[in-house]
Amino acid sequence: MTIAVSASIATDNLMRFPGKFSDVLLADQLEHVSLSFLVDDLVIRRGGVAGNIAYAMGLLGRSPLLVGSVGPDFGEYRDWLERHGVDCSAVRVSTTAQTARFVCTTDESMAQIASFYPGAMSEAREISLTELTESRPLELVLIGANDPEAMTRHTDECRKLGIPFAADPSQQLALIDGEQALRLIDGAAYLFTNEYEWGLLLQKTGLGPEEIGRQVGIRVTTLGAKGVQIIGPDGVEVYVEVVPELGKVDPTGVGDGFRAGFLTGHTAGLSLERSAQLGSLVAVLVLETTGTQEWQLERQTALDRIAAAYGPEAAADIATVLG
């Protein structure tokens, strides 16, 4: 059985500002903001929500199916993903647009200002999950930030086909209205948000936590340095702290890493707690690396860090997933 990851595929242009945005952003002048930040460096990396999650799942041994649209410049990126266990056979290649581009500047406090050019991503709406299932069974489809019409289409197809799906609207919550948001999460086996996105989802839909909880199976809310909160279908809450970092290098893609680890663990039979602990390990490995797909997984070192953070029983359980 295959986990499909339907979301953005992009090239990341990452820069670092040697100061704090908060020192130069004036609260009473935001309507007239006109700033240029002199950055220290520029690093160009492979990225996008789907690319990041699929790469991480590949390292964890899941061989995910990447679902998204790219430009003719995707060749080298494709080779990279395939070398790391990702099935790229469902990727659509545009003849008219380049692969999407994420441009992000991070300050010394890890705050970020970013822009996103969709490019070929807008053609993801042309991809049919129904056609994909004719050649392979899908165990789960993660539907992340992507072309909004693609997100809606793939969500509707999952409901129609009876395929469990994980709703992860993330950055697109800022663009869609409450009705669209509800359409993306209704019936989801998993709902992923960070703390801010959860508040935005409540505001846009006008629903309370219990009302949204009745529409989804497992609700996962990442809390940054405070860890993660998980509420299961039975309403029982699980809280997991982060794996202590060895150093904060770049927060880009940390949430993607968590989702990859969590879903890899849970679909392999780990408990919600153990799955979140594996997700937290992947997240910290991303945090400690420049670039969302430059980290590597060294099995024994990973298990040692899990044991130090959560105890030897956690390490023993998670070892069964890491192989």
Side-chain angles (χ1 to χ4, degrees):
M1 299 288 281
T2 300
I3 296 179
V5 183
S6 169
S8 62
I9 304 169
T11 299
D12 291 347
N13 290 251
L14 308 176
M15 293 163 280
R16 185 171 300 279
F17 173 58
K20 294 183 179 180
F21 296 138
S22 58
D23 291 339
V24 293
L25 289 170
L26 304 178
D28 61 345
Q29 294 295 317
L30 293 181
E31 292 184 5
H32 313 290
V33 64
S34 177
L35 293 170
S36 175
F37 297 98
L38 183 63
V39 298
D40 278 349
D41 58 359
L42 166 65
V43 179
I44 300 176
R45 305 287 187 187
R46 309 166 190 90
V49 171
N52 295 340
I53 293 176
Y55 170 82
M57 286 184 172
L59 287 191
L60 294 170
R62 267 314 302 243
S63 300
L65 178 67
L66 183 63
V67 179
S69 184
V70 301
D73 55 336
F74 184 63
E76 184 179 345
Y77 193 169
R78 179 193 294 272
D79 292 342
W80 165 264
L81 290 174
E82 291 178 340
R83 289 200 307 271
H84 290 89
V86 179
D87 182 350
C88 295
S89 61
V91 173
R92 174 189 172 92
V93 180
S94 171
T95 59
T96 59
Q98 297 296 304
T99 301
R101 193 146 296 159
F102 175 66
V103 181
C104 181
T105 303
T106 303
D107 74 3
E108 63 183 21
S109 66
M110 296 289 113
Q112 295 182 309
I113 295 177
S115 299
F116 187 83
Y117 161 71
M121 187 185 80
S122 299
E123 298 179 23
R125 66 188 69 175
E126 304 299 330
I127 301 172
S128 168
L129 293 185
T130 303
E131 293 179 2
L132 293 180
T133 59
E134 293 175 357
S135 60
R136 74 205 85 192
L138 298 180
E139 174 184 0
L140 176 76
V141 180
L142 182 141
I143 302 171
N146 200 355
D147 170 69
E149 289 190 32
M151 296 170 70
T152 299
R153 175 178 184 174
H154 294 166
T155 301
D156 290 343
E157 286 184 299
C158 283
R159 280 192 287 260
K160 181 178 180 180
L161 296 168
I163 301 173
F165 66 96
D168 182 21
S170 56
Q171 299 99 324
Q172 295 293 40
L173 278 174
L175 301 177
I176 61 179
D177 60 29
E179 182 177 342
Q180 291 172 310
L182 284 174
R183 187 173 174 183
L184 292 177
I185 70 172
D186 186 30
Y190 304 88
L191 170 62
F192 288 97
T193 63
N194 62 29
E195 196 169 15
Y196 178 81
E197 291 160 356
W198 173 241
L200 186 59
L201 180 63
L202 294 176
Q203 180 190 75
K204 290 212 168 194
T205 62
L207 299 180
E210 292 184 358
E211 292 173 295
I212 288 183
R214 287 193 288 269
Q215 298 192 38
V216 303
I218 297 167
R219 177 163 65 83
V220 183
T221 308
T222 56
L223 309 171
K226 296 180 291 183
V228 59
Q229 176 196 53
I230 305 164
I231 299 179
D234 54 4
V236 175
E237 179 179 334
V238 176
Y239 173 76
V240 172
E241 295 184 346
V242 300
V243 174
E245 77 273 359
L246 301 179
K248 294 180 179 179
V249 177
D250 192 330
T252 309
V254 168
D256 299 334
F258 175 84
R259 286 151 174 74
F262 180 90
L263 289 175
T264 296
H266 202 243
T267 56
L270 293 183
S271 67
L272 292 176
E273 180 183 26
R274 294 289 186 255
S275 300
Q277 290 168 346
L278 176 57
S280 297
L281 170 71
V282 177
V284 80
L285 293 176
V286 177
L287 178 65
E288 294 168 353
T289 309
T290 298
T292 56
Q293 296 176 34
E294 305 303 317
W295 62 278
Q296 294 292 322
L297 183 71
E298 201 290 310
R299 185 179 186 277
Q300 190 54 54
T301 301
L303 293 175
D304 289 345
R305 294 187 70 173
I306 288 173
Y310 306 118
E313 290 186 5
D317 290 343
I318 291 173
T320 63
V321 172
L322 296 183

